[in-house]
Amino acid sequence: MKPYRSMLFVPGHKSAWADKGVASGADAIILDLEDSVPPADKADARVTVGGTIDRLTAEGVRPDLWVRCNPDVTGLLNGDLEAVIRPGLTGLFLAKVFDAADIVRLDAVITHIERREGLPEGEIGLLVSYETAQSMANCEEIAAASSRVVSLLGATGPDADAGRELGIEFTPEGIETLYLRSRLVLAARSNGIHHPVVGVWQDIKNLDGLRTFCLDNRRLGYRGLVVIHPSHVAVAHEIFTPDSDTVEYYRRLLEAYREAERAGSSAVDFEGQHIDIAHVKTAEEIITRADAVAANA
């Protein structure tokens, strides 16, 4: 998966809002069929989302297009899948998953639709949002359940599904979710998923708090933010884009190591720090991520 610094939710039944999402500069847009769509509008929203995907794809928009379907427990999931799996869809944002079997069943249904419609098989990715206590307890198995799983969301926020499931009280500092968020990063990395995302920040006008939230989660291993307002996109990009000084530092580190290697050494004093091949691998990963972000911008 591309390194998404921002994934912006857009209500699926409001097609014009998708254009605002594109204008925000978000790396990806999530066309929502779940919580932001009133129950009476669910069926029409499927048609609208399908049309939005077709239109934006034809226009060649930059952000990737994702859809959050209604969860299986609502009885709406299969209809959502039939309506939105089409050319131009990058992936599905999964709400209220419970265990690995949910992912296996969904993978089979997606594969069936891809084959029936003549779509490239296996290209539709899955982003799992951990919103149920069962999914959090089974996060490693869920992450490993299908090669389609390309990202995990460490859900947080006051009064939302994850907090209610666990009975926690939200704080901006996030101590109450630190274990969960750390465990999800480990589940992601141990399954080759290098771009877990975090979200959401609900205090829309508090951009300083958002900046701190992003920075704390970047340090924890998250690589992007699921956002609910266009004004949050710029902050997410600021924090989750490797800064030029850091990238330049690691480029110098690589060159110093290569020079030492040519001289027959596998360790070197670089700007007062001991470095060896482990540090080189870290530098290469950060530079690769920075180059991927630049290519996607």
Side-chain angles (χ1 to χ4, degrees), residues 155-191:
T156 183
D159 305 320
D161 293 312
R164 184 181 64 256
E165 283 281 305
L166 297 179
I168 61 175
E169 297 180 10
F170 173 84
T171 67
E173 296 77 20
I175 298 300
E176 70 285 352
T177 59
L178 180 59
Y179 164 74
L180 172 61
R181 288 179 290 130
S182 298
R183 185 176 171 187
L184 293 184
V185 169
L186 181 58
R189 286 286 187 157
S190 64
N191 284 285

Side-chain angles (χ1 to χ4, degrees), residues 85 106-116 121-122 148:
I85 293 178
L106 180 60
D107 188 340
V109 173
I110 295 171
T111 300
H112 166 72
I113 297 174
E114 288 173 335
R115 290 175 177 175
R116 188 191 68 200
E121 189 173 326
R148 291 185 189 271

Side-chain angles (χ1 to χ4, degrees), residues 22-243:
V22 172
S24 75
D27 289 338
I29 293 173
I30 305 168
L31 301 168
D32 188 26
L33 291 173
E34 196 206 13
D35 287 349
S36 68
V37 178
D41 295 333
K42 295 282 190 181
D44 289 343
R46 292 171 176 165
V47 178
T48 301
V49 165
T52 300
I53 294 172
D54 291 344
R55 177 174 62 83
L56 295 180
T57 300
E59 293 173 0
V61 297
R62 183 190 67 84
D64 284 346
L65 304 178
W66 289 68
V67 172
R68 178 167 71 170
C69 295
N70 291 284
D72 192 32
V73 292
T74 66
L76 299 172
L77 177 59
N78 286 347
D80 289 348
L81 297 175
E82 290 284 358
V84 305
I85 293 178
R86 61 184 60 222
L89 177 68
T90 298
L92 300 170
F93 183 107
L94 305 182
K96 299 177 182 65
V97 169
F98 292 92
D99 55 31
D102 289 341
I103 303 298
V104 173
R105 286 192 295 268
L106 180 60
D107 188 340
V109 173
I110 295 171
T111 300
H112 166 72
I113 297 174
E114 288 173 335
R115 290 175 177 175
R116 188 191 68 200
E117 300 300 320
L119 300 173
E121 189 173 326
E123 290 191 0
I124 293 175
L126 301 177
L127 189 160
V128 181
S129 177
Y130 290 90
E131 301 173 348
T132 66
Q134 293 95 323
S135 67
M136 298 173 211
N138 297 306
C139 63
E140 295 87 0
E141 292 84 356
I142 289 171
S146 168
S147 59
R148 291 185 189 271
V149 178
V150 294
S151 188
L152 312 180
L153 170 66
T156 183
D159 305 320
D161 293 312
R164 184 181 64 256
E165 283 281 305
L166 297 179
I168 61 175
E169 297 180 10
F170 173 84
T171 67
E173 296 77 20
I175 298 300
E176 70 285 352
T177 59
L178 180 59
Y179 164 74
L180 172 61
R181 288 179 290 130
S182 298
R183 185 176 171 187
L184 293 184
V185 169
L186 181 58
R189 286 286 187 157
S190 64
N191 284 285
I193 300 168
H194 295 283
H195 302 290
V197 293
V198 72
V200 296
W201 182 255
Q202 295 178 198
D203 192 353
I204 293 174
K205 295 184 179 180
N206 183 4
L207 298 185
D208 288 336
L210 170 63
R211 186 171 286 104
T212 299
F213 179 77
C214 289
L215 183 57
D216 288 346
N217 281 287
R218 189 192 76 191
R219 289 168 173 163
L220 200 59
Y222 287 93
R223 294 295 175 251
L225 178 74
V226 173
V227 301
I228 58 173
H229 195 272
S231 66
H232 294 179
V233 170
V235 176
H237 288 193
E238 171 194 337
I239 301 301
F240 290 109
T241 301
D243 69 84

